[in-house]
Amino acid sequence: MIQVENLTKKYGAFTAVDDVSFTARSGRVTGFLGPNGAGKSTTMRIMVGLTPTDSGTATIAGRSFADLPNPGLEVGVLLDASAQHAGRTGREILTVAALTMGLPKRRVDEMLDRVSLTPTEAGRRVRNYSLGMRQRLGIATALLGDPEVLILDEPANGLDPAGIRWMRDLLRGYADQGGTVLLSSHLLHEIEVIADDLVVIGQGRIVADGTKAELLASAGTLVRTRVVDDLATALTASGLNPVLSGATGGSDVLRVDADPEVVGKVAHEAGIPLVELRAADGAGLEEMFLELTSDTQREGNS
Ligand code: ADP
């Protein structure tokens, strides 16, 4: 388990990480989501002792990273896939890491196999690797010591859709065996397919934190009908607050802050025929994320 409590990091007058607290639980994949510049990498660097914090603590299984005797056996870290010695081959990089951790050499082949790097690819120098291959090598390095915790910064960067699926399956299996996975991304959809829990950060602050199911469910219901005025009246009379959110082909869509079952019941009791009724999965999260992104871009443009 990873526990982050009240982390704050300032660069001069600028607060990159602002009183950040969250927990990544074992057996779960926790997605750390935020636009570029939100403070994800800084938080992760603090967790693994690469950046000093101004205040707050980060612990891995109850201990700070600096107190772990052989960190590679406890926590696998991938912060920057390109930060490898470009003149070494993938196999050499893994071999050096295995020696450092006191692991048998056969672990190297096991890991190459696990991340689907062929012997030929493993024999090439890393400077000739694609970003996707570097990510695979970085994940292999992180997994080498069979740690209980993985901290991965933007591991899906440079992976194609098949690669993202491969990584999702790998991390899923790892969490299902009790591992703790924290991975960051600046892309909502990328993380949505991988994570069980989400921690959303914007401008250094945590803006949402919960299970993916909770965060996606909070968006309410979308209901489509050809008699939108009647439905809006019936919903309002039931104490709900419908909002018009679109129209196509003679029917209109209302968004309602309630479960589909509640909305369906109101429509049924008022005798209103519906064209479509569904949970507005992710719409709330997506809107929140777009707002965060546009705030950041506004700042960047000013
Ligand atoms: P993310 O990983 O979410 O893209 P970062 O943690 O890399 O965000 O950066 C958060 C903010 O802190 C950014 O505005 C970045 O420019 C700033 N920052 C990061 N590292 C430094 C540094 N060493 N010196 C000054 N500012 C920094």
Side-chain angles (χ1 to χ4, degrees), residues 11 14-17 34-43 153-154 184 201:
Y11 291 109
F14 175 74
T15 307
V17 174
N36 287 325
K40 304 179 296 296
S41 299
T42 306
T43 304
D153 195 6
E154 301 270 2
S184 71
I201 185 168

Side-chain angles (χ1 to χ4, degrees), residues 52 58 96 232 289:
V96 169
F289 195 61

Side-chain angles (χ1 to χ4, degrees), residues 13 40 63 146-147 158 190 193 201 212 222 257 267 282 286:
K40 304 179 296 296
R63 285 182 295 177
D146 197 21
E190 188 176 274
V193 296
I201 185 168
K212 182 172 65 181
L222 293 176
D257 227 358
E286 183 146 24

Side-chain angles (χ1 to χ4, degrees), residues 37-274:
K40 304 179 296 296
S41 299
T42 306
T43 304
M44 289 175 137
R45 288 175 61 86
I46 292 171
M47 285 174 168
V48 299
L50 287 173
T51 295
T53 168
D54 293 325
S55 57
T57 56
T59 55
I60 294 159
R63 285 182 295 177
S64 76
F65 188 85
D67 292 336
L68 302 174
N70 191 344
L73 303 183
E74 316 248 2
V75 49
V77 179
L78 168 60
L79 290 186
D80 180 354
S82 298
Q84 306 270 19
H85 193 308
R88 290 205 178 123
T89 68
R91 176 180 294 281
E92 283 166 355
I93 285 172
L94 281 178
T95 305
V96 169
L99 286 173
T100 313
M101 287 182 225
L103 299 169
K105 270 195 180 167
R106 66 175 160 73
R107 279 297 286 168
V108 172
D109 289 296
E110 286 169 15
M111 287 308 103
L112 287 170
D113 195 42
R114 182 116 188 242
V115 302
S116 310
L117 282 174
T118 64
T120 316
E121 288 169 332
R124 270 194 235 154
R125 292 187 199 288
V126 167
R127 75 162 59 90
N128 299 320
Y129 276 25
S130 66
L131 181 54
M133 285 166 72
R134 284 175 206 217
Q135 295 286 28
R136 285 174 191 264
L137 180 65
I139 291 172
T141 312
L143 291 170
L144 198 60
D146 197 21
E148 300 252 315
V149 174
L150 285 180
I151 296 179
L152 312 172
D153 195 6
E154 301 270 2
N157 245 356
L159 295 180
D160 54 19
I164 291 179
R165 186 184 202 150
W166 161 82
M167 194 177 63
R168 177 185 61 187
D169 293 346
L170 186 146
L171 298 181
R172 175 81 274 134
Y174 184 88
D176 285 348
Q177 288 173 8
T180 306
V181 182
L182 179 71
L183 85 164
S184 71
S185 175
H186 64 287
L187 299 172
L188 174 62
H189 292 294
E190 188 176 274
I191 216 152
E192 224 182 300
V193 296
I194 297 179
D196 303 304
D197 297 325
L198 292 176
V199 176
V200 187
I201 185 168
Q203 297 179 12
R205 293 194 183 177
I206 302 299
V207 294
D209 181 358
T211 67
K212 182 172 65 181
E214 271 166 16
L215 291 175
L216 294 184
S218 59
T221 296
L222 293 176
V223 57
R224 179 188 293 278
T225 180
R226 295 190 195 282
V227 283
V228 74
D229 291 342
D230 293 353
L231 180 61
T233 305
L235 289 166
T236 307
S238 303
L240 300 171
N241 187 20
V243 179
L244 193 63
S245 86
T248 38
S251 61
D252 301 279
V253 180
L254 293 175
R255 171 127 154 232
V256 193
D257 227 358
D259 288 343
E261 198 178 342
V262 174
V263 175
K265 193 160 176 279
V266 171
H268 176 71
E269 282 168 0
I272 294 168
L274 301 182

